[in-house]
Amino acid sequence: MTNTLDYKTVSSENVTNWFKAAPVTAFPANGGACVLYRGKQIAVFNFTRRDEWYACQNLCPHKQQMILSRGMIGSEQDEPKVACPFHKRAFSLQSGKCLNADECAIATYPVKIEEGYVYIGFDEA
């Protein structure tokens, strides 16, 4: 079983492996979908209102459920966020910080779009 400790944030400068996740068309506008990378569920968000993409762990740290890809996305003081649909905990899609409770942060990952495909950055070979 995957837990929060299996995920760690990767910054853009530490990416060593760009994982080709799926075509851009596989992700809903202003919504998310989940991809599997080496046994880890990664939530990917196509934030069309902001013309931005984000990726984070799919595991909500509050109740340890794989659900964040189905969360509601929005902005709080211009910071993009996702809210867990079960528990309403909101997390920054940039830093992973919990915005409305003392929950631990979620891991976030860099995303790039090339030739119609979504790539997620990891720091492992």
Side-chain angles (χ1 to χ4, degrees):
M1 178 175 172
T2 304
N3 68 48
T4 300
L5 298 176
D6 293 332
Y7 296 93
K8 71 174 193 165
T9 292
V10 177
S11 61
S12 295
E13 57 271 8
N14 292 330
V15 171
T16 57
N17 177 28
W18 285 102
F19 172 66
K20 189 176 186 179
V24 167
T25 54
F27 299 90
N30 292 308
C34 182
V35 299
L36 190 63
Y37 175 78
R38 295 187 178 178
K40 297 176 187 172
Q41 291 189 28
I42 307 296
V44 179
F45 299 97
N46 177 7
F47 210 146
T48 53
R49 286 190 306 265
R50 297 174 60 107
D51 194 27
E52 296 170 344
W53 289 79
Y54 296 96
C56 66
Q57 67 186 53
N58 195 35
L59 180 69
C60 178
H62 180 235
K63 294 285 186 180
Q64 302 290 303
Q65 293 181 318
M66 296 292 187
I67 192 65
L68 291 180
S69 64
R70 306 192 119 217
M72 293 181 55
I73 59 174
S75 298
E76 183 171 321
Q77 297 177 348
D78 203 38
E79 183 157 0
K81 67 178 183 178
V82 60
C84 173
F86 287 154
H87 318 106
K88 309 304 181 221
R89 295 290 195 260
F91 300 92
S92 166
L93 288 170
Q94 292 177 325
S95 69
K97 178 183 174 190
C98 185
L99 301 173
N100 61 354
D102 291 331
E103 298 293 329
C104 62
I106 60 172
T108 60
Y109 304 91
V111 176
K112 70 177 182 179
I113 308 300
E114 284 186 0
E115 298 179 1
Y117 281 87
V118 177
Y119 292 82
I120 305 167
F122 294 96
D123 62 355
E124 50 198 41

